Amino acid sequence: MTLKGRDFLTLLDFTPEEISYLLELSAELKEKKKKGILHDELRGKNIALIFEKNSTRTRTSFEVAAHDLGMGVTFLDPQSSQIGKKESIADTARVLSGIFDGIEYRGFGQEIVEELAKYSDVPVWNGLTNEFHPTQILADFLTVKEHFGYLKGIKFVYMGDARYNMGNSLMIGCAKMGMEFTACAPEKYFPDKALIAKCEEIAKETGAKLNFISDPEIACKGADVIYTDVWVSMGEPVEVWEERVKELLPYQVNAEKMKIAGDKCIFMHCLPSFHDLKTKIGKEMGERFGLDAFEVTDEVFESEASVVFREAENRMHTIKAVILATLK
Ligand code: CP
Ligand code: NVA
């Protein structure tokens, strides 16, 4: 299989076989890294990383993956580059594709990364937009596969704001891989109807099942994975916190929900997470709303069932697979 020259903008563009291939390649690269076997197969190539929003995992994963593959990396942010202020995305794409072999973009609307890809001659990788976060899904699925040994049929429950990048992308991923995806939230937080319809079509081919349930007791029963994400995403106005806390608190992942799921259930989160008040925003909001955690309790986050740090490590191995598969 070859994905050479392909962009990586959303998992909608990839077949289940291609996604499986990327997961297998990730596992191979992870094993090589653990054994200390050099894999600098892209020596002499260079990539650009554009971040219009903050990042810890995605940026460091792209940087370390590129270094391991023998590549050079240049980081660009809107403050220190011309992007957006003096130069359009279309012009930036044409400039950077003359200099680099691949471009990562993290920012706002999906249409921006699509515009970048349209004008770029080299692969463009989506490092998170408001709508999608496809590299995260590869890391999540590698983690699920490592834990359970398979993906097909896994009961995957997403709690919280399911209409943003994580909910959307996990629904697509689960549909592609024949899993049972449940979005558990008040109805207004379910993914966009047109995207649900697309995923239902995919599910018909793959045997996946999609559920949209507002009662956590029903949704969590028998879950293999309970997943959540922050209730307020990067770039959203601070005013939305009040409504989100009020509406999503019943969907906080806590010991009770993990118990409803059962002993085999694991807890996952893309991170960063407001599981305690040890961050500036967490403390500020915790004091404001009288809470000691938001989307997940500290008890669950720190429990044996939580695989969040292995999941975070897997960002690097899976991003490396995306870079290698699309450039080699
Ligand atoms: N999960 C994730 O994308 O983390 P960062 O925002 O730190 O990159
Ligand atoms: N939904 C979150 C994901 C962070 C990885 C955000 O967009 O901020």
Side-chain angles (χ1 to χ4, degrees):
M1 171 154 328
T2 175
L3 301 177
K4 191 170 177 181
R6 295 269 297 272
D7 298 314
F8 191 78
L9 307 182
T10 155
L11 288 182
L12 286 169
D13 301 337
F14 290 81
T15 65
E17 293 70 32
E18 288 169 340
I19 297 169
S20 293
Y21 167 71
L22 286 170
L23 293 174
E24 277 155 31
L25 185 58
S26 307
E28 251 172 59
L29 290 166
K30 182 171 179 176
E31 198 182 329
K32 279 191 183 154
K33 172 98 174 168
K34 300 277 172 202
K35 287 187 174 153
I37 301 169
L38 285 183
H39 44 283
D40 49 349
E41 296 175 44
L42 295 177
R43 256 191 325 272
K45 293 193 186 287
N46 293 284
I47 61 172
L49 309 180
I50 305 172
F51 280 83
E52 300 210 74
K53 287 178 178 169
N54 292 346
S55 170
T56 295
R57 278 145 291 272
T58 310
R59 177 182 173 176
T60 55
S61 293
F62 268 98
E63 291 198 2
V64 171
H67 285 304
D68 285 353
L69 291 168
M71 312 172 83
V73 185
T74 302
F75 176 79
L76 292 163
D77 66 27
Q79 282 74 43
S80 57
S81 71
Q82 311 285 16
I83 298 167
K85 299 186 298 283
K86 280 180 72 182
E87 199 151 38
S88 67
I89 287 292
D91 290 357
T92 303
R94 287 173 287 180
V95 170
L96 295 182
S97 41
I99 300 173
F100 293 95
D101 301 286
I103 306 167
E104 179 275 355
Y105 175 85
R106 163 172 289 199
F108 296 88
Q110 181 71 10
E111 70 281 0
I112 304 172
V113 77
E114 275 166 15
E115 170 102 344
L116 192 67
K118 182 175 160 198
Y119 286 95
S120 164
D121 295 333
V122 299
V124 170
W125 307 297
N126 180 357
L128 178 145
T129 57
N130 295 345
E131 292 84 356
F132 301 117
H133 195 8
T135 61
Q136 177 73 50
I137 310 313
L138 293 181
D140 298 340
F141 285 6
L142 179 63
T143 311
V144 171
K145 243 185 124 185
E146 286 173 345
H147 187 86
F148 291 103
Y150 59 93
L151 291 176
K152 207 170 170 65
I154 286 285
K155 285 178 187 293
F156 198 105
V157 178
Y158 180 88
M159 306 283 289
D161 187 356
R163 64 196 171 165
Y164 218 71
N165 42 28
M166 286 312 305
N168 289 343
S169 303
L170 285 166
M171 175 172 71
I172 298 168
C174 288
K176 290 271 178 183
M177 303 316 282
M179 297 155 76
E180 179 171 347
F181 174 81
T182 301
C184 179
E187 211 176 315
K188 73 183 243 204
Y189 293 95
F190 291 157
D192 170 63
K193 287 208 162 58
L195 184 61
I196 293 180
K198 258 188 209 168
C199 289
E200 291 286 12
E201 281 304 307
I202 299 166
K204 274 189 212 152
E205 302 281 310
T206 62
K209 194 161 182 281
L210 310 179
N211 309 307
F212 303 91
I213 298 174
S214 295
D215 182 344
E217 276 201 38
I218 299 174
C220 293
K221 209 167 161 41
D224 296 309
V225 178
I226 294 185
Y227 197 114
T228 193
D229 180 20
V230 290
W231 293 339
V232 178
S233 286
M234 287 183 280
E236 293 200 280
V238 70
E239 290 75 39
V240 303
W241 272 89
E242 195 166 342
E243 185 184 67
R244 296 287 164 80
V245 169
K246 199 167 112 215
E247 295 174 345
L248 295 176
L249 194 56
Y251 300 88
Q252 181 188 59
V253 180
N254 54 24
E256 192 196 327
K257 295 187 184 83
M258 294 301 290
K259 194 163 167 232
I260 294 170
D263 289 343
K264 68 177 188 316
C265 182
I266 56 171
F267 170 70
M268 300 184 74
H269 192 309
C270 54
L271 306 183
S273 161
F274 293 121
H275 60 96
D276 59 23
L277 305 187
K278 292 179 188 158
T279 61
K280 188 170 172 284
I281 298 174
K283 185 166 180 290
E284 220 173 274
M285 293 301 158
E287 282 166 4
R288 181 166 155 204
F289 297 106
L291 294 173
D292 59 9
F294 289 87
E295 73 277 6
V296 56
T297 60
D298 196 47
E299 185 186 7
V300 169
F301 187 90
E302 296 293 352
S303 70
E304 285 285 307
S306 172
V307 296
V308 296
F309 294 111
R310 177 201 276 245
E311 183 185 356
E313 178 193 322
N314 283 340
R315 295 297 310 285
M316 198 281 286
H317 305 299
T318 44
I319 280 172
K320 191 186 284 176
V322 171
I323 299 175
L324 185 60
T326 53
L327 293 190
K328 197 172 170 184

